Amino acid sequence: MKWWGWGDPESRLELPDSAIGMLRNELGVEAGDATEHVELAAVELPEPRPLPEAVHAATGEANVLTDAEQRLRRSAGRGYPDLVRLRSGKLEAAPDAVLVPADAGRVAAVLEACASSDVAVVPFGGGTSVVGGVEPERGTHGAVVALDLSSLREVDLDRRSLTARLGPGLRGPDAEAALAGLGVTLGHFPQSFEQATIGGFAATRSAGQASSGYGRFDELVTAIELTAPAGVLRTLAIPHTAAGPSLRQLVLGSEGTLGVITEVSCRVRPAPKERLYEGWMAPDFAGGCEIIRDLAQSHEAPDVLRLSDEEETRISLAMSGTEGLQKRALDAYLALRRRRGGCLMICGWEGEPRSVRRRRSLARRRLRHGGAVPLGKSAGRAWERSRYQGPYLRDELLDLGVFVETLETAHTWSRLPELYGAVRDALREALGRPAIVFCHLSHAYADGASLYFTFLARARRGAEIEQWRTAKAAACEAIVATEATITHHHAVGRDHAPYMRAEVGELGLEALRAVKERLDPSEVMNPGKLLPT
């Protein structure tokens, strides 16, 4: 991954000139606002602190990396503040070393050595956290290391049970390629899929774009192994148990604060023989939400189900270069169906061809009944081609001098409109004018759904972090005020930790701290994350 951005250094997303013109016009961005990242040689890192000999011995000398580039690459995630610091080349914190243990046994030895030597440990997978989850915070400890899990990459399929034991260091594409070779799929495709890892999916309770059909990652996990400073916690590979509170669920979402996830067993499915995606246009956002609620509560939701609000629909069409004849053709098509504008929906079905046809037929009846107009498979294919482009687009927007960030939450159907309005209004007020705020609904359930907001403004040169902090705080306070979750799938990390008290209550925080005290008595695991200080 680019040390300063997202994805392959040779890859970039070219924005149409019309889209660039629209952004400059609506946000007041000028040509002089354009920025570039500094060269790698110009990056300033704090000097590394030496590690105790016990840590070197536990890891293996060849697996202790201390050169500047290796430390830099584990110094930040990919949230907006991370990207601002990386691009400027001025990082206030970096791991003192990168440890790459060869196997789970080495992980246990490393954690024991770090705990006894006062060295903080930040587990590191793909580095895709957008909430400060991999910030190399030392806390009160003498040094901090990034624990790179890339060597833990095993794949073991139980074909009869349709479960697979997976190493936490596997990146999404590597895991899917290995499983595809065995004729199965995990079906977990978040936008971070290209870079994120199995361990990261588990540690953050990730949700993929096909979660309506396959389930969130925590729903796929059947067994898990946590290697903590105090020892190894392992759950049985069983479909269900009534033996007390779920320790598996305790480990899922722990974000490296209790220990290191060293093995994950997941449910898999036969690889789909057909994937069919298509677009629809809902009459408006409220009407589209009702369609999705109907689909979810009737258990007829497609595997992929996404609804953009009016503003995201407008921006998406502009970013894709849909203008001129294309735009007039779309408007004419909608006019023939007594429709002017609306909200874009993406529906996708995966599986056996007969099952896809049957489920698609059932869903289409409810879509039409709710007033949605079909746009055909070409719109679905366009979404499929661009499903992982969001992070690449963000790099291009930063180059133009645009402040761009995302956040997500979830609530019940009864309070979803209230949440949508509160967060949208809070962001607009915090950003001031001109600004663009839009949203899409995804990850639908019978009782509610998630909302994913994106917001853009002209970046305040030299005050980008302050600008981000103001907008982020306003949105989070609006979420807490409406009693929604502070995060549906981005996790807590450092950025959301102050809001955990509103999420779980004071007694809940005390319970989590008690678990951490037992598993990580020296408190060396990922300081500053998940739990408010």
Side-chain angles (χ1 to χ4, degrees), residues 176-222:
E176 273 299 323
L179 292 171
L182 300 170
V184 296
T185 181
L186 191 58
H188 189 70
F189 303 104
Q191 194 173 71
S192 61
F193 171 74
E194 295 175 332
Q195 303 294 334
T197 62
I198 294 295
F201 294 155
T204 60
R205 291 184 179 271
S206 173
Q209 295 168 342
S211 68
S212 294
Y214 290 89
R216 299 182 316 271
F217 195 79
D218 57 304
E219 296 175 297
L220 302 179
V221 175
T222 62

Side-chain angles (χ1 to χ4, degrees), residues 224 226 233-235 241 243-252 515:
I224 201 159
L226 179 81
L233 187 157
R234 184 183 295 108
T235 68
T241 176
S246 173
L247 294 178
R248 179 175 66 196
Q249 294 298 328
L250 181 66
V251 173
L252 291 166
V515 172

Side-chain angles (χ1 to χ4, degrees), residues 1-7 35-38 72 75-91 127-130 132 135 390-399 402-406 464-465 468 494-495:
M1 186 157 64
K2 301 169 187 169
W3 63 264
W4 54 269
W6 186 267
T35 62
E36 293 184 359
H37 63 85
V38 301
L72 169 63
S75 292
R78 288 302 181 267
Y80 182 76
D82 299 318
L83 294 173
V84 169
R85 295 187 188 108
L86 287 168
R87 291 164 66 93
S88 71
K90 297 178 181 179
L91 287 91
T128 63
S129 172
V130 293
E135 290 293 310
Y392 295 95
L393 174 60
R394 184 174 53 176
D395 285 347
E396 299 304 311
L397 294 176
L398 290 175
D399 285 346
V402 175
F403 160 58
V404 54
E405 181 62 308
T406 64
E464 294 95 339
I465 305 298
W468 168 83
R494 179 199 58 193
D495 300 345

